[in-house]
């Protein structure tokens, strides 16, 4: 691509970002009303309620909907920075700025020699596919921290670890970014950062870990993979209920505990596979860190007993980082995530009443969305394994062999890991 084509492509990307983000702002500011339930009520009611409690110097000790690590207080309190706006307006503006920060990070990475701007395109296209929910949850802020961590990880492992530690204290899942880190400095920095934050919040504000007891009686959220069992079972006489429970719409009734336990078991198996991969992998290329993080987040999102629409923001953000690298194997899974994001907007908020009713339209949407996530997970797992774990039944192509100077696999693995660690955090 010559300079003129590159300039046109960049101009088109920025124009598309501006247009789509203007539409999102018009929706959350209610200049235009997006069909379906009001997605902004979580900000104007729930978040603002937490804000009023947090500003008194304590966590919401009696609110079971507060289910987040202590640093989640930071984004909830952040609208105070824009005191000239009301709470909800300030929150939407800050979410917009977090979105812009992700774009800037991806462009900065993608325009470097040997990188690609495809990642920025994934973000620009993927966010509006999820709909206005993106600006009405603090997940876009967490995703900005996660994207910064992954992009720093290839050269600055300490910074990567510190950002991952901060992200984990905001919403837990960014700890998964460390699965592909080969330098201990990244893990150490994450542990130190998380430890410091835990200590500060524990000393400064009562109830920092009250959230740990607020999920004991959760059901299975109606949009999750396991919920498909009950959506179908309702048509055959299952007599459970769909209720607002712990801040989300969940199935409650017979056998829900069995399905929830099965979901936890699948999550445990996912962790086991990631551990096996980490112990077996010997090829750590510059894109492996992001690819492994994407696989981990996909696995834990897909198997969770709760798949809220805003979770798709995590997947789009991490997929975008993967596609900043030319040699990533995550192109197909990233495309599947984009399709799943579109279907997510259709099932929530557009036709959420059909999902709650378990009617044919609602069930079909969930089967398609969750099926796309399962397929993306399977393909991503396969690609990560093939790219980083050597096969023993045939010779590797020249330049990718795991045999070291002495031909021993262990020696080769150490040598390759050592070389790769200079380019992967």
């Amino acid at each position: 691509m010559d300079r003129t084509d590159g300039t046109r492509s960049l101009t088109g990307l920025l124009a598309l970002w501006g247009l789509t983000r203007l539409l999102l702002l018009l929706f959350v500011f209610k200049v235009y009303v997006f069909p379906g339930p009001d997605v902004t009520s979580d900000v104007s009611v729930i978040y603002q309620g937490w804000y009023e409690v947090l500003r008194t110097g304590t966590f919401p000790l009696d609110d079971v909907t507060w289910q987040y690590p202590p640093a989640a207080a930071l984004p909830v309190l952040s609208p105070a920075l824009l005191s000239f706006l009301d709470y909800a307006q300030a929150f939407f503006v800050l979410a917009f700025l977090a979105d812009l920060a992700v774009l800037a990070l991806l462009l900065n990475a993608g325009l470097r020699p040997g990188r690609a701007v495809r990642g920025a395109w994934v973000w620009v296209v993927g966010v509006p596919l999820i709909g206005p929910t993106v600006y009405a949850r603090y997940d876009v802020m967490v995703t900005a921290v996660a994207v910064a961590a992954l992009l720093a990880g290839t050269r600055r492992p300490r910074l990567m670890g510190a950002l991952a530690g901060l992200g984990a204290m905001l919403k837990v899942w960014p700890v998964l970014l460390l699965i592909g880190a080969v330098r201990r400095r990244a893990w150490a920095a994450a542990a130190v950062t998380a430890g410091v934050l835990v200590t500060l919040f524990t000393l400064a504000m009562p109830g920092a870990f009250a959230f740990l007891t607020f999920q004991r009686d959760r059901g299975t959220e109606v949009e999750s993979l396991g919920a498909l069992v009950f959506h179908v079972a309702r048509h055959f006489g299952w007599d459970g209920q769909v209720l607002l429970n712990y801040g989300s719409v969940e199935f409650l009734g017979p056998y829900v505990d069995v399905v929830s336990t099965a979901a936890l078991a699948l999550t445990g198996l996912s962790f086991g596979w990631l551990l096996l991969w980490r112990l077996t992998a010997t090829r750590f290329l510059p894109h492996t860190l992001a690819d492994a993080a994407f696989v981990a987040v996909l696995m834990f999102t897909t198997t969770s007993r709760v798949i809220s629409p805003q979770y798709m923001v995590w997947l789009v953000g991490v997929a975008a980082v993967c596609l900043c690298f030319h040699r990533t194997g995550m192109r197909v899974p990233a495309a599947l995530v984009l399709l799943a994001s579109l279907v997510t907007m259709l099932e929530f908020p557009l036709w959420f009443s059909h999902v709650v009713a378990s009617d044919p339209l609602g069930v079909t949407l969930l089967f398609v969305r969750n099926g796309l996530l399962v397929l993306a997970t399977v393909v991503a797992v396969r690609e990560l394994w093939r790219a980083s774990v050597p096969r023993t039944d045939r010779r590797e192509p020249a330049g990718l062999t795991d045999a070291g100077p002495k031909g021993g696999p262990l020696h080769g693995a150490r040598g390759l890991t050592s070389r790769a660690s200079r380019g992967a955090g």
Side-chain angles (χ1 to χ4, degrees):
M1 179 183 297
D2 61 28
R3 180 174 297 181
T4 301
D5 290 340
T7 301
R8 289 176 180 172
S9 177
L10 184 59
T11 301
L13 183 146
L14 294 176
L16 181 60
W17 183 87
L19 176 62
T20 55
R21 274 44 177 191
L22 175 61
L23 286 173
L24 290 179
L25 287 172
L26 291 175
F27 285 132
V28 294
F29 278 97
K30 297 184 180 178
V31 177
Y32 299 106
V33 177
F34 198 85
D38 180 10
V39 300
T40 66
S41 61
D42 275 22
V43 176
S44 58
V45 178
I46 298 176
Y47 283 16
Q48 189 164 0
W50 291 339
Y51 170 82
E52 297 298 337
V53 175
L54 290 166
R55 66 189 301 196
T56 67
T58 183
F59 285 91
L61 298 175
D62 301 318
D63 187 349
V64 295
T65 62
W66 176 262
Q67 300 167 10
Y68 309 105
L74 299 177
V76 174
L77 290 169
S78 64
L81 298 171
L82 303 177
S83 57
F84 54 90
L85 298 173
D86 69 30
Y87 182 87
Q89 292 173 341
F91 186 92
F92 301 146
V93 170
L94 291 171
F96 166 80
L97 292 176
D99 179 3
L100 178 59
V102 174
L103 176 66
L105 288 166
L106 292 168
L107 281 177
N108 181 62
L111 292 173
R112 292 177 182 174
R115 299 288 182 87
V117 295
R118 284 194 307 261
W121 278 105
V122 168
W123 181 253
V124 168
V125 173
V127 166
L129 290 179
I130 304 169
T133 305
V134 174
Y135 284 0
R137 306 290 187 273
Y138 82 89
D139 296 79
V140 67
M141 304 173 186
V142 183
T143 302
V145 175
V147 168
L150 284 175
L151 292 174
T154 55
R155 294 183 180 275
R156 304 176 68 182
R158 286 194 181 92
L159 177 59
M160 184 262 183
L163 290 170
L166 169 61
M169 288 295 99
L170 288 168
K171 207 164 186 180
V172 181
W173 70 266
V175 73
L176 298 172
L177 307 180
L178 296 166
I179 191 67
V182 297
R183 294 187 182 182
R184 294 178 182 176
R185 283 176 289 177
W187 287 89
V192 169
T193 301
V196 169
L197 288 172
V198 165
T199 301
L200 289 175
F201 278 105
T202 301
L203 294 176
M205 300 175 67
F209 292 95
F211 75 97
L212 293 174
T213 64
F214 288 165
Q215 298 196 45
R216 289 176 299 186
D217 299 320
R218 291 207 67 157
T220 292
E221 194 258 345
V222 295
E223 298 167 87
S224 66
L225 183 63
L228 291 171
V229 173
F230 302 110
H231 282 293
V232 173
R234 291 177 83 181
H235 293 274
F236 294 92
W238 181 73
D239 60 354
Q241 295 177 297
V242 177
L243 297 173
L244 182 63
N245 189 49
Y246 290 86
S248 65
V249 181
E250 299 180 351
F251 281 116
L252 299 172
Y255 306 109
V256 171
D257 57 338
V258 175
V259 172
S260 296
T261 301
L264 291 173
L266 284 175
T267 300
L269 289 173
S270 298
F271 177 79
W273 185 91
L274 289 169
L275 181 60
L276 175 64
W277 170 81
R278 192 63 182 82
L279 294 174
T280 310
T282 58
R283 283 195 296 272
F284 290 86
L285 301 173
H287 58 83
T288 304
L289 177 70
D291 288 358
F294 183 48
V295 169
V297 178
L298 258 176
M299 294 179 81
F300 279 81
T301 300
T302 303
T303 61
S304 174
R305 58 180 174 171
V306 177
I307 305 181
S308 297
Q310 61 267 25
Y311 292 9
M312 300 303 299
V313 185
W314 316 345
L315 296 173
V316 171
V318 181
V321 177
C322 293
L323 267 70
C324 287
F325 299 91
H326 285 292
R327 295 184 62 187
T328 181
M330 298 299 146
R331 294 183 185 87
V332 171
L336 292 170
V337 164
L338 292 180
L339 289 174
S341 297
L342 175 60
V343 182
T344 296
M345 182 178 65
L346 296 178
E347 61 92 358
F348 183 91
L350 194 58
W351 289 319
F352 190 59
S353 60
H354 296 274
V355 173
V356 174
S358 301
D359 67 17
L361 175 59
V363 175
T364 299
L365 288 172
L366 284 184
F367 264 104
V368 173
R369 196 281 301 273
N370 292 342
L372 287 168
L373 288 179
V374 170
L375 181 58
T377 302
V378 171
V379 174
V381 163
R382 178 174 177 269
E383 290 298 324
L384 179 64
W385 188 273
R386 291 182 62 184
S388 54
V389 177
R391 293 187 60 175
T392 57
D393 59 343
R394 59 182 173 84
R395 290 181 62 86
E396 296 289 341
L400 291 180
T401 179
D402 291 322
K406 297 182 180 179
L410 182 59
H411 186 97
R414 288 175 176 169
L416 192 56
T417 302
S418 176
R419 292 192 298 275
S421 66
R422 292 195 293 269

